[in-house]
């Protein structure tokens, strides 16, 4: 992103980040043997209770590799009988996480909150293959500053890994409580079937910029399709998609520009609720999936919904092989959290924050203004 593009957003107060090490520090997972599992074997315990982490042969490999301890002692015999109250620890060896950016721009900061410009490709919180290469880790490494009530800021909402733009983080307990309530309140209003999308009375509002496939004929579209989770290989808790039995969600889409030659529409989206992948799902639901989205197709459902053949093999670390079909964290789409207006959690002052637009999400007029300032 050029410096001229940055002039279109809030001033960048600071850029921080530490380059990722080649390997993370590994992880430990602790369990205590309960009465109902006392007397079972070590391999039975892990292959049953943690079957979502690895297949039977994968857990067998981990045990034989000395990655399990019982009451602090390494145990490599999978047939060891467990006793009640024994402490089990699985030691996941360090691994090389997929590539991810590490630099973050600070758009706003005071003693209670900080607003970051998150780059596409960086996960917010640990999950899946990303345990270290996250926004949270960079915030931990940066630490708190004078007057902070928390050791480091914590994100109060999420952005998809492929989504760029404004990410709010709390630096005090009070800010964390109130900011979390702001986001929850918007979703609650939608749940009550109040379709008024005006900002009056709301403590926070968010505007996104996105690039959709196809030409959206209407200048404005309000989408209220419910969103729910359905079983999907590779996603333990299910994949979120358009579902009549899902939870209420509301998105207001405004077309900014139509590119007939490339068959694309540049849109602004305001969301009142905050369902996972809401914009990706809602835009695809009306027949215009985000350009480059590897997962969602028209109708707000995944591109590939056919069941995959069962793969009993396991990866090098004992876990499952990555599914062949797309996953929610896969990038490639164009979505940017562009503007945010909120009432400050302690002063109630209205604050507006703007994250500079990537070139691909600028209108022709905006792109011309950028060129004129070069």
């Amino acid at each position: 992103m050029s410096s001229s593009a940055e002039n279109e957003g809030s001033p960048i107060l600071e850029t921080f980040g530490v380059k990722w090490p080649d390997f993370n520090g590994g992880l430990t997972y602790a369990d205590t043997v309960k009465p109902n599992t006392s007397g079972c074997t070590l391999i039975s315990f892990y292959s049953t209770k943690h079957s979502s982490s690895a297949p039977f042969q994968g857990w067998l490999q981990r045990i034989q590799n000395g990655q399990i301890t019982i009451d602090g002692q390494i145990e490599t015999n999978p047939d060891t009988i467990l006793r009640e109250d024994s402490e089990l620890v699985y030691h996941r060896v360090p691994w090389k996480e997929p590539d991810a950016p590490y630099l973050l721009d600070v758009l706003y900061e005071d003693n209670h909150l900080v607003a970051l410009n998150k780059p596409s490709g960086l996960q917010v919180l640990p999950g899946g293959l990303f345990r270290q290469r996250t926004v949270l880790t960079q915030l931990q490494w940066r630490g708190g500053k004078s007057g902070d009530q928390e050791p480091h800021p914590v994100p109060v909402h999420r952005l998809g890994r492929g989504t760029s733009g404004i990410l709010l983080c709390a630096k005090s307990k009070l800010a964390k409580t109130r900011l979390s309530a702001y986001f929850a309140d918007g979703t609650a209003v939608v749940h009550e079937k109040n379709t008024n999308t005006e900002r009056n009375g709301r403590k926070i509002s968010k505007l996104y910029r996105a690039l959709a496939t196809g030409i959206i004929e209407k200048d404005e579209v309000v989408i209220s399709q419910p969103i729910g989770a359905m079983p999907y290989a590779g996603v333990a808790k299910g994949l979120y998609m358009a579902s009549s039995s899902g939870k209420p969600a509301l998105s207001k889409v405004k077309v900014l520009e139509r590119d007939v030659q490339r068959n694309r529409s540049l849109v602004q989206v305001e969301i009142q609720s905050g369902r996972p992948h809401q914009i990706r799902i809602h835009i695809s639901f009306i027949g215009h999936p985000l350009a480059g989205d590897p997962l969602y197709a028209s109708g707000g459902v995944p591109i590939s919904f056919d069941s995959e053949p069962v793969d009993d093999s396991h990866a090098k670390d004992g876990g499952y092989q990555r599914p062949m079909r797309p996953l929610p964290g896969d990038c490639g789409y164009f979505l940017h959290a562009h503007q945010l207006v909120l009432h400050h959690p302690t002063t109630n002052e209205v604050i507006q924050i703007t994250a500079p637009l990537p070139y691909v999400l600028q209108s022709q007029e905006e792109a011309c203004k950028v060129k004129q300032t070069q």
Side-chain angles (χ1 to χ4, degrees):
M1 187 177 297
S2 67
S3 59
S4 55
E6 293 171 354
N7 292 333
E8 297 298 319
S10 300
I12 293 176
L13 305 179
E14 176 189 349
T15 299
F16 71 94
V18 177
K19 189 175 181 181
W20 306 116
D22 289 340
F23 290 84
N24 60 28
L27 285 173
T28 58
Y29 301 86
D31 285 287
T32 300
V33 179
K34 304 297 183 183
N36 63 326
T37 53
S38 178
C40 75
T41 63
L42 185 61
I43 183 62
S44 175
F45 177 89
Y46 276 102
S47 63
T48 302
K49 183 175 181 181
H50 298 292
S51 59
S52 62
S53 171
F56 181 92
Q57 291 297 326
W59 278 116
L60 189 62
Q61 171 186 297
R62 291 170 173 179
I63 293 170
Q64 294 173 339
N65 284 349
Q67 293 176 244
I68 310 292
T69 60
I70 302 178
D71 295 326
Q73 300 297 315
I74 294 176
E75 181 54 72
T76 59
N77 181 3
D79 296 321
T80 295
I81 303 298
L82 301 180
R83 297 175 306 192
E84 185 178 345
D85 294 329
S86 289
E87 297 294 329
L88 307 181
V89 179
Y90 159 53
H91 300 261
R92 185 175 179 181
V93 297
W95 71 94
K96 185 178 178 63
E97 299 182 15
D99 291 339
Y102 64 91
L103 292 176
L104 291 156
D105 292 332
V106 177
L107 302 174
Y108 176 90
E109 184 169 23
D110 60 28
N111 285 336
H112 292 277
L113 62 90
V114 56
L116 305 175
N117 186 14
K118 185 189 86 69
S120 173
L122 180 59
Q123 192 156 299
V124 175
L125 299 176
L129 292 176
F130 294 93
R131 295 291 168 171
Q132 183 180 73
R133 298 185 179 189
T134 66
V135 173
L136 181 61
T137 298
Q138 290 292 349
L139 288 171
Q140 290 170 339
W141 288 349
R142 180 179 185 245
K145 293 194 174 183
S146 177
D148 294 348
Q149 300 174 34
E150 296 285 351
H152 61 81
V154 292
V156 293
H157 65 109
R158 297 195 189 200
L159 293 178
R161 188 165 74 89
T163 304
S164 58
I166 302 170
L167 179 69
L168 269 187
C169 305
K171 296 175 63 177
S172 67
K173 294 178 181 179
L174 178 60
K176 181 179 179 182
T177 299
R178 290 186 176 174
L179 290 172
S180 297
Y182 290 177
F183 285 102
D185 287 347
T187 301
V189 168
V190 175
H191 185 70
E192 295 167 4
K193 298 184 178 180
N194 180 351
T195 58
N196 177 16
T197 59
E198 294 299 323
R199 299 183 187 182
N200 293 338
R202 291 164 55 189
K203 292 288 189 179
I204 192 166
S205 63
K206 298 172 288 182
L207 291 179
Y208 288 75
R209 185 72 66 93
L211 188 63
T213 56
I215 302 301
I216 301 176
E217 297 298 335
K218 293 183 178 180
D219 292 338
E220 293 189 0
V221 183
V222 176
I223 309 168
S224 56
Q225 170 64 29
I227 294 173
M230 302 291 286
Y232 188 85
V235 185
K237 296 182 179 180
L239 175 68
Y240 286 92
M241 63 186 75
S243 171
S244 58
S245 61
K247 295 181 179 180
L250 184 66
S251 301
K252 184 177 181 181
V253 180
K254 179 180 180 181
V255 177
L256 302 177
E257 197 169 80
R258 297 177 177 89
D259 187 340
V260 177
Q261 183 176 359
R262 296 181 181 178
N263 195 34
R264 292 178 174 182
S265 299
L266 183 66
V267 298
Q268 172 183 285
V269 186
E270 180 178 3
I271 61 173
Q272 189 162 331
S273 52
R275 306 299 178 196
H277 315 301
Q278 177 173 322
I279 294 177
R280 297 170 67 186
I281 294 170
H282 271 180
I283 293 291
S284 64
F285 177 75
I286 63 173
H288 299 276
L290 295 187
D293 194 329
L295 179 60
Y296 291 105
S298 293
V301 295
I303 292 173
S304 173
F305 211 8
D306 297 329
S307 60
E308 288 189 351
V310 177
D311 186 356
D312 291 329
S313 65
H314 54 84
K316 187 177 180 180
D317 71 342
Y320 288 103
Q321 298 283 3
R322 187 192 190 282
M324 295 296 293
R325 55 184 175 179
L327 294 175
D330 293 345
C331 302
Y333 56 91
F334 299 98
L335 178 60
H336 183 72
H338 180 40
Q339 292 182 336
L340 183 145
V341 178
L342 78 154
H343 291 252
H344 193 280
T346 61
T347 66
N348 209 37
E349 175 189 0
V350 177
I351 299 172
Q352 179 171 325
I353 303 168
T354 303
L357 289 165
Y359 177 77
V360 70
L361 293 178
Q362 295 174 6
S363 66
Q364 291 185 5
E365 182 180 354
E366 290 166 337
C368 287
K369 287 182 179 179
V370 170
K371 289 182 179 179
Q372 291 172 1
T373 60
Q374 290 179 339

